[in-house]
Every structure is written in structure tokens, then in C-alpha cells.
Amino acid sequence: MKVKGANHTSYTVSDLERSKAFYCDILGCELIWEREIEEQYFRDIVVFSDCVVKAAFLRIPGSDHQLELFEYVHPRGDKQDMNTNNPGNSHMAFVVDDLEEFYEELKAKGVTFKSEPVYIDYGRSKGAIAVYIVDPDGITMELVEPAPQG
């Protein structure tokens, strides 16, 4: 048997309310559900026998893919080095229509960027424009405007 699809992507955050505001109010994701998790099945999956987690499940606009956010109330975790070159680090890419316009809008809202938008001039994504942004916990996300079709 092989993997047959993707269900969701999950990130652990330090403050669920702050992260919901970033992903919903700034990036446009939609809150599907939110709850506190203390059930045994969950504790067995994450292997923390007494954990308490605030969780939110978000719908990514224009996609069937969903984003899950966990804030571990107990046990609290430690801040990690979020440099993109560190093994285990990851990012998710969000598709946008007009990256230059969205970049200016997000910049005005105080969003942190790793660079200005970059034109991709080589390879499979040639003609696209992309930029890395940083969420409130330092998690890298990518915004990409695909190459024009034609």
C-alpha cells in the first residue's frame, strides 16, 4: 500500500490566538474548528501522557488542503532554531494572484519577509514570483505567484 493523498499540515505555535489572527486575518485562511484536546487517543499519538493542547483547523483558500495549529499548554515546548537550512525545518507555499500587490499589503501590516519578491528565471517554475514570509513564531511560509500560462 502507498500514500494516496495529503490530509493536512500541522505546525506547533506558542500562542494560538496570535497565530489564528496571522493565518486567518492576514493570509485569509478560514477557521473550520477550534478546541482544547485532552483525550487519551491524542496523548497516545503525540506520546505526551498528560498533554493539553489548544488546536485550530484552518481551510486554505482555493485549496482542499488544511492547516492545523497546535499550542501545547502542557507540556510547553522550547523555541527552536527556525533557519530554513536546519534539518527538520519546513515551509508551506501559498498560491497568490498578484504577489507584488500582496507583498505591499502585507508589508503595511507589519509582516516580516526574508527578502523582496524574487522572479524565478530558471527551471520548472520559471516565470513565477516567490517570497518567504515569517509567521509570529518564526515559521517560514512561502508566497508564490505561478508563472503565466501560455
Side-chain angles (χ1 to χ4, degrees):
M1 176 162 282
K2 297 180 182 178
V3 172
K4 62 179 191 175
N7 184 274
H8 66 275
T9 300
S10 181
Y11 290 103
T12 298
V13 300
S14 63
D15 182 329
L16 185 62
E17 292 304 315
R18 181 180 68 178
S19 293
K20 281 188 331 189
F22 178 81
Y23 287 100
C24 294
D25 300 343
I26 293 177
L27 295 184
C29 293
E30 174 191 349
L31 180 65
I32 299 171
W33 60 257
E34 178 179 6
R35 71 184 186 98
E36 195 163 281
I37 304 173
E38 297 183 52
E39 289 81 18
Q40 190 59 48
Y41 82 87
F42 182 82
R43 291 172 170 175
D44 291 344
I45 291 170
V46 300
V47 194
F48 286 109
S49 62
D50 61 348
C51 72
V52 177
V53 171
K54 292 180 185 176
F57 221 64
L58 311 177
R59 180 174 290 110
I60 299 170
S63 169
D64 291 332
H65 198 75
Q66 297 168 342
L67 177 61
E68 177 181 68
L69 302 174
F70 284 160
E71 177 189 341
Y72 279 79
V73 176
H74 177 79
R76 294 295 291 183
D78 297 321
K79 175 82 171 130
Q80 301 299 303
D81 182 342
M82 303 302 286
N83 287 321
T84 55
N85 64 326
N86 286 326
N89 199 321
S90 67
H91 76 270
M92 183 185 312
F94 293 92
V95 176
V96 300
D97 288 329
D98 184 338
L99 183 55
E100 295 289 343
E101 181 181 319
F102 197 39
Y103 171 78
E104 292 300 329
E105 180 184 320
L106 294 179
K107 202 163 80 169
K109 292 180 179 180
V111 171
T112 301
F113 293 85
K114 292 197 172 192
S115 71
E116 294 183 357
V118 174
Y119 176 79
I120 300 171
D121 61 4
Y122 181 80
R124 196 184 89 193
S125 298
K126 184 176 181 176
I129 304 169
V131 68
Y132 277 176
I133 65 173
V134 180
D135 91 344
D137 283 296
I139 299 169
T140 299
M141 293 291 152
E142 182 176 6
L143 302 176
V144 62
E145 177 184 335
Q149 300 298 313

